[in-house]
Amino acid sequence: MPTVTAPEKQSENDIHEYADGWISERKGTGVPTFLKFAYIVIMACVIGYFFLYMFGEVNHSDRGALVRQFNQATQSSPGFMYTVIAMVVVYAIIVIAFAFKAVHKDE
């Protein structure tokens, strides 16, 4: 009769804890696929939001006129807004590249 052995227990060294134990990660695990694509969707929505509402909600039926008056009084800067959008795009590229890179090997 074959002997049944208990499954090997994961050693405590295989689990890394961050934020005083609030987050734990098993050695060699990667980012789930759905989360990788969620990064892309969320970043695309953020960038789209910045483009659509760059100067506020100027086409709103109730407060659109007030927003247009505010923009005229404060002289909004398109160059600054495009710089902010460019920084968001760079951040998005870094986050997505980090999420899609190979799993790191801890030593």
Side-chain angles (χ1 to χ4, degrees):
M1 177 174 214
T3 59
V4 178
T5 59
E8 290 185 29
K9 219 175 187 186
Q10 294 284 337
S11 71
E12 291 297 320
N13 295 336
D14 287 350
I15 297 176
H16 298 281
E17 290 188 355
Y18 304 101
D20 291 331
W22 283 86
I23 300 171
S24 60
E25 175 184 57
R26 187 170 307 279
K27 182 178 179 180
T29 58
V31 178
T33 305
F34 79 92
L35 189 56
K36 292 178 183 181
F37 290 103
Y39 289 143
I40 295 172
V41 171
I42 291 168
M43 293 297 183
C45 291
V46 167
I47 293 167
Y49 179 85
F50 274 115
F51 270 118
L52 288 175
Y53 296 108
M54 184 182 303
F55 300 112
E57 200 171 7
V58 293
N59 294 325
H60 191 271
S61 60
D62 293 336
R63 58 186 171 264
L66 294 174
V67 173
R68 286 189 294 275
Q69 288 177 356
F70 179 78
N71 287 344
Q72 287 176 351
T74 59
Q75 298 297 321
S76 297
S77 173
F80 175 73
M81 290 306 296
Y82 285 121
T83 302
V84 170
I85 292 171
M87 291 182 349
V88 171
V89 169
V90 168
Y91 177 75
I93 291 169
I94 292 169
V95 167
I96 292 169
F98 182 75
F100 277 89
K101 79 175 187 173
V103 176
H104 62 280
K105 299 290 182 191
D106 294 332
E107 295 183 26

